Amino acid sequence: MIDFKEDITLREAQEMVDKWIKNYGVRYFSELTNMACLTEEVGELARIMARKYGDQSFKASESQDPEDEMADVLWVLLCLANQTGVDLTRALKKNIEKKTQRDKQRHINNPKLLKK
């Protein structure tokens, strides 16, 4: 059984997914299969976003809630991180530091972002 608490860290999420895979999923799909699954899940999220916030309309049988699709994207990303030894907590911190150094003035000085 997997213990759920209200708020979890990325590291805890990675551990929860790994535990689920080992208890219920038999094994991870191959990295290439999971990359294809991630692409598929992002496409499903894109379809909902295009219909909800873009110009397309929903078909009668389509889901209109992006929550489940976002969770699917996160699930497969967590699987890929586990399979490839990526600590997403550390990776995200490094990525935020990189973006802060690179872009700290870029967006503030972008006149396109000041319109609205």
Side-chain angles (χ1 to χ4, degrees):
M1 188 66 140
I2 297 176
D3 296 322
F4 290 98
K5 58 183 187 178
E6 190 163 330
D7 294 320
I8 61 173
T9 66
L10 277 172
R11 188 164 289 120
E12 289 169 330
Q14 280 189 249
E15 291 168 1
M16 288 172 66
V17 166
D18 191 59
K19 189 174 183 178
W20 189 94
I21 294 291
K22 290 174 179 169
N23 288 324
Y24 305 106
V26 180
R27 65 174 179 81
Y28 285 94
F29 296 147
S30 71
E31 295 86 349
L32 186 56
T33 297
N34 272 334
M35 188 62 228
C37 289
L38 179 61
T39 303
E40 178 184 359
E41 296 300 347
V42 169
E44 291 173 6
L45 176 59
R47 184 189 68 247
I48 290 172
M49 299 301 286
R51 285 162 172 67
K52 188 167 187 162
Y53 301 102
D55 300 322
Q56 291 184 319
S57 60
F58 284 98
K59 296 175 186 168
S61 62
E62 283 184 315
S63 169
Q64 297 186 22
D65 186 1
E67 181 178 285
D68 190 50
E69 296 307 332
M70 287 184 186
D72 285 344
V73 168
L74 181 58
W75 174 272
V76 181
L77 184 61
L78 292 166
C79 286
L80 282 167
N82 288 346
Q83 290 176 278
T84 58
V86 172
D87 177 340
L88 284 173
T89 300
R90 188 178 60 76
L92 182 59
K93 286 179 184 177
K94 282 176 55 178
N95 192 269
I96 290 170
E97 289 170 6
K98 175 187 79 174
K99 285 175 173 38
T100 301
Q101 289 300 312
R102 183 189 66 200
D103 299 330
K104 60 184 160 192
Q105 294 299 312
R106 179 173 159 225
H107 300 301
I108 292 170
N109 295 324
N110 182 347
K112 294 177 187 177
L113 293 176
L114 298 176
K115 299 176 192 174
K116 223 174 185 190

